[in-house]
Amino acid sequence: MTAPLRGLRVIELARILAGPWIGQTLADLGAEVIKVEAPEGDDTRRWGPPFVTRDAPDHDGDGGRETVAAYFHAANRGKTSVTCDFADPGQRDRLLALIDTADVLIENFRVGALARFGLDYETLARRNPRLVYASVTGFGQTGPRAHQPGYDFLIQGMSGIMDLTGDPGGEPQKVGVAWIDIMTGLYGVIGIQAALAERDRSGRGQQVDLSLLDTGIGVLANQAMNHLVGGATPTRLGNAHPNIVPYQVFAVADGHVIIACGNDRQFVALCAVLGMASLGTDPAYADNAGRVAHRNTLCARLGDGLRGWAKAALIEALDRAGIPGGPINSVAEALADPQVAARAMMIAPGGIPGLRTPIAFSRSRLDLDDGAPDLGAPI
């Protein structure tokens, strides 16, 4: 078996997370990804602790040892690295010659910043008309904010997701990973693959314009539709769902569990498990709209019925009854889950632990043999 994108050459002029996430995903899918770094390397090589120290080529007299942050390893698996000083004409010419051989280029510089080096889309498209050129910026290539820098945290605030996240009585909360960076990276992979498919028909590449803010707005999903259709502004509900009840965290005797009833059958079954069958047949709660309308009263009654249960016993009972429910794991507990092991999510390319791209194929395979690269020699 081979990986699906074997034979595709990608040049990555990207740093931090969103752009490198595109490159790593393409590398896992089989593409050859050449990461072009500044002479000092991607900033995330220094974003630690924790750090990984390992043997490396002695490019700069460091004795052949390299210490790199775990953060860098999270987004750069499967690539090779070269360094390039764009201001050096010789190095720049060698980079241009490399780009002439590429199918895809990924960059996340501020709008217009690469034009002075002849690395902008218009210039490169004249040299390599088949090039698919993916640009990742905070706000996109157009619009009044196009030239402003954008970072995941800022965009989480601007996009509305922080106003939907956290306790209603507390401050807005960001998601615990750089969620918009990663989502933009995934949309970048989708856009690149779509442009490659179109290239098969037209013979021409194109620019893929990716904006963190576009992504943050685009994935508001049902919450945006609740506002667009209903008119009200969604607000923080803690761990409750705006459109489904019961669908939240409940306290039990030894901690907390999640219960997520997505339909009427599951709600009736939950009430039976809790010994509250009459609650399941109460006309006020007969359908989801009624349960949403009476959210506070219903969840208080369910909370009373749940308080005496132990987590493990309740989760087992919910599973037997076909009711979605589960624990709230720590990261360590999640990674130790037998299902995670069964799905082979944990990998260790080059002896460095990591997580694979969560895609499995019936015929193809992922390329997961190589870890993140040592900082390369000048191009």
Side-chain angles (χ1 to χ4, degrees):
M1 296 187 295
T2 59
L5 297 184
R6 182 67 58 83
L8 191 76
R9 172 168 278 189
V10 179
I11 307 300
E12 181 187 298
L13 309 182
R15 306 90 71 207
I16 314 302
L17 188 54
W21 199 264
I22 298 174
Q24 177 171 272
T25 305
L26 294 175
D28 278 1
L29 292 170
E32 175 194 13
V33 180
I34 302 170
K35 184 178 181 70
V36 181
E37 303 185 60
E40 66 275 13
D42 188 313
D43 289 347
T44 60
R45 287 181 179 272
R46 296 173 290 281
W47 283 12
F51 293 97
V52 174
T53 299
R54 60 181 179 174
D55 293 331
D58 189 0
H59 297 310
D60 54 6
D62 61 2
R65 299 286 285 171
E66 186 176 57
T67 298
V68 175
Y71 195 119
F72 178 82
H73 287 276
N76 290 284
R77 178 177 59 246
K79 306 172 188 178
T80 58
S81 170
V82 296
T83 59
C84 182
D85 179 355
F86 294 166
D88 182 310
Q91 292 190 33
R92 187 170 66 246
D93 286 345
R94 289 188 287 275
L95 174 58
L96 288 168
L98 183 62
I99 293 170
D100 287 345
T101 71
D103 298 286
V104 176
L105 184 144
I106 306 162
E107 62 90 7
N108 63 350
F109 286 77
R110 289 178 65 175
V111 173
L114 291 176
R116 64 194 178 102
F117 301 111
L119 296 171
D120 56 298
Y121 171 66
E122 289 76 12
T123 300
L124 294 180
R126 289 193 292 269
R127 294 176 60 105
N128 181 358
R130 290 176 55 82
L131 183 68
V132 172
Y133 185 106
S135 297
V136 182
T137 58
F139 300 98
Q141 300 295 305
T142 60
R145 295 188 184 273
H147 287 82
Q148 294 180 7
Y151 296 92
D152 177 274
F153 190 13
L154 297 176
I155 304 300
Q156 287 201 38
M158 294 179 67
S159 68
I161 192 64
M162 286 180 64
D163 196 44
L164 298 174
T165 306
D167 188 281
E171 68 177 9
Q173 293 289 315
K174 70 179 180 67
V175 180
V177 296
W179 171 72
I180 291 180
D181 271 348
I182 291 173
M183 291 293 293
T184 303
L186 296 179
Y187 275 114
V189 173
I190 294 167
I192 287 168
Q193 291 180 320
L196 289 169
E198 194 278 337
R199 188 183 74 172
D200 287 341
R201 299 191 299 272
S202 69
R204 299 172 57 204
Q206 59 184 300
Q207 186 174 24
V208 182
D209 178 4
L210 298 154
S211 154
L212 299 184
L213 183 60
D214 287 357
T215 297
I217 296 296
V219 297
L220 288 175
N222 61 298
Q223 292 282 31
M225 288 300 292
N226 289 345
H227 170 66
L228 293 172
V229 173
T233 299
T235 58
R236 294 192 298 284
L237 293 173
N239 289 311
H241 195 289
N243 299 101
I244 310 172
V245 173
Y247 200 101
Q248 64 182 69
V249 172
F250 287 96
V252 293
D254 56 347
H256 293 83
V257 297
I258 295 169
I259 296 177
C261 290
N263 58 48
D264 297 339
R265 184 206 66 77
Q266 292 171 353
F267 172 68
V268 172
L270 172 64
C271 294
V273 166
L274 299 182
M276 307 170 73
S278 61
L279 193 64
T281 59
D282 189 322
Y285 311 131
D287 59 24
N288 184 67
R291 294 192 291 274
V292 171
H294 299 92
R295 176 194 302 270
N296 292 339
T297 301
L298 173 60
C299 290
R301 295 180 66 181
L302 291 173
D304 290 340
L306 287 160
R307 200 160 288 119
W309 283 79
K311 282 190 294 185
L314 176 61
I315 290 170
E316 182 179 351
L318 295 175
D319 184 51
R320 287 197 305 268
I323 304 162
I328 301 171
N329 287 330
S330 68
V331 171
E333 289 169 334
L335 296 179
D337 190 296
Q339 182 65 21
V340 174
R343 297 291 293 174
M345 283 301 300
M346 300 285 288
I347 57 176
I352 307 299
L355 303 174
R356 70 169 175 85
T357 289
I359 300 171
F361 299 97
S362 63
R363 290 189 299 104
S364 300
R365 67 174 182 86
L366 297 175
D367 271 351
L368 302 172
D369 297 330
D370 298 321
D374 303 317
L375 185 61
I379 193 168

